[in-house]
Structures are given as C-alpha cells and as structure tokens.
Amino acid sequence: EMQLPPLKQCLALSRNDTSRAKCAWQDSILGWSVYAPFLANWRSFHKASQFMFVESGEFALHPLRMVQAIESHLNLPHHSYNRSILMRRMNSGTCGTPRWNCSANSIASHYTATRTWNDLLDFYRGQHAALARLVHPYRLDWDGITNFA
C-alpha cells in the first residue's frame, strides 16, 4: 500500500529508460517486476539476436523442450536429460502441474477486491503493456519461446 505511490512517482518523473530502470531497481518489492526499462536498457548494449524469452507456463509444461531450446540459443551442446527428473524438478509442488498455476500459492488468492489490489493491477497492466511494446516488433513463437529475430 505504501510502496506503490513512491515508485509510480519516480517512474513518472523519469525521462529515459535508464532513469526508469534506476527507479525500479531501488524498489526491491514492486520495482523488480517492472521489466520494460531493464529490457530497453539491455537492448542498447546487446544485439537483438542475443535475447530469448521463455514463457514460464510453457517451461513448466515442456521443460525438456524448453531446456533444449535454451541450449540451442546459447550454442551449447545438448545434454541428455532424464525427462522424469526434469519434470519433477520443474513442477515440484502439491498443487499439480505446473506448480505456479496453483491458486492456493497465488498472491491473488489471499486478497479480495481491495483498492490496493486494484491499484497494483492497474500499475502492472501498464507495465506489462510497455513490455509488450518492446517485444511486439519481434517474432513470438506460439510454442512459448520468444526470440528476437
């Protein structure tokens, strides 16, 4: 409740991606989930082909395929993984597969429709839109892997 207003104010006063990244970095509770300024800053130092995004839900459902895709992206030799161990490690929990889809583990399951919760939803909706704008011009693979092409 008290964390969001200073972060929003800092971001609103920022004039560039570097200063927005500094705002987000300074707030380790909410700010570290503000990805767009960090990505924009990284893009100024690295070639687009060096980036790869892996959607967490797809990683949980198909960890072997995702690990192999990451190995390929990094030009690493493929390792022979034990599929059942990899599935168990990626989905170790009591709520089924994937673990992070379990509503009992979700922060949202502990809140009702409060003003604070709605403020957080509005804030992150805007942050998610900024991230989508950065990723949008690039190829989004429907199998859950996003590569800058």
Side-chain angles (χ1 to χ4, degrees):
E1 198 169 292
M2 296 172 13
Q3 203 77 23
L4 187 57
L7 176 59
K8 285 174 70 172
Q9 181 180 11
C10 185
L11 290 169
L13 295 174
S14 298
R15 298 196 182 276
N16 58 45
D17 290 320
T18 301
S19 62
R20 281 187 285 279
K22 285 180 183 177
C23 289
W25 177 78
Q26 291 173 5
D27 185 334
S28 62
I29 295 174
L30 300 175
W32 289 4
S33 294
V34 176
Y35 302 112
F38 296 112
L39 178 58
N41 193 37
W42 295 334
R43 283 181 51 199
S44 65
F45 294 99
H46 302 284
K47 293 185 275 183
S49 62
Q50 292 179 288
F51 290 91
M52 177 182 181
F53 295 99
V54 178
E55 195 269 320
S56 60
E58 187 69 17
F59 198 89
L61 294 173
H62 306 288
L64 180 60
R65 184 171 70 184
M66 297 287 95
V67 168
Q68 289 171 337
I70 293 167
E71 287 174 335
S72 294
H73 181 78
L74 297 173
N75 293 317
L76 296 173
H78 287 293
H79 179 74
S80 179
Y81 297 96
N82 181 314
R83 184 183 204 108
S84 64
I85 291 174
L86 191 58
M87 283 294 290
R88 190 169 54 245
R89 294 267 189 237
M90 295 310 304
N91 297 295
S92 59
T94 58
C95 299
T97 304
R99 179 181 181 184
W100 47 80
N101 281 345
C102 176
S103 62
N105 288 339
S106 170
I107 292 172
S109 70
H110 301 289
Y111 288 90
T112 57
T114 64
R115 179 182 170 165
T116 301
W117 183 249
N118 289 329
D119 288 348
L120 286 170
L121 288 176
D122 288 342
F123 174 73
Y124 283 114
R125 188 176 293 117
Q127 297 305 317
H128 207 177
L131 180 61
R133 285 191 298 274
L134 280 173
V135 175
H136 175 69
Y138 303 97
R139 179 174 52 89
L140 300 177
D141 295 338
W142 290 109
D143 65 359
I145 304 170
T146 305
N147 285 311
F148 286 127

